[in-house]
Amino acid sequence: IYKQKTYPIHNMDKVSYALGLNIGRNLLDAGITDINTQDFLLAMKTILAKEDQKMTNVEAQQVLNEFFADLQ
């Protein structure tokens, strides 16, 4: 039987988990049902750590525009 994990005592753990739920729901609402979570998390870590991105913001927007155009 699957036992639901009780969620953490530390407030930032709760906030982080809630943000993940929110982003996940938004992805599903946008029609995205399958992503490479490793690359997704790497991009999140890169932005939060203010490190150099592997693509520019313009390139990223182009990739997303093409992806969403293909979804329609």
Side-chain angles (χ1 to χ4, degrees):
I1 296 176
Y2 174 76
K3 183 177 180 181
Q4 187 175 4
K5 184 176 181 179
T6 49
Y7 241 82
I9 297 170
H10 301 289
N11 191 45
M12 191 44 70
D13 292 341
K14 290 179 183 180
V15 170
S16 298
Y17 188 77
L19 285 168
L21 290 175
N22 185 277
I23 291 168
R25 270 192 221 97
N26 288 340
L27 290 172
L28 286 176
D29 290 347
I32 302 169
T33 58
D34 184 33
I35 65 168
N36 179 323
T37 55
Q38 186 174 356
D39 286 337
F40 180 83
L41 292 176
L42 176 60
M44 293 289 290
K45 288 177 182 179
T46 297
I47 292 298
L48 293 173
K50 298 179 181 172
E51 296 174 349
D52 291 338
Q53 298 171 209
K54 292 187 176 189
M55 64 175 70
T56 67
N57 291 337
V58 170
E59 290 170 323
Q61 191 59 55
Q62 289 172 337
V63 168
L64 293 176
N65 289 344
E66 290 171 14
F67 176 79
F68 285 112
D70 289 345
L71 276 182
Q72 296 179 354

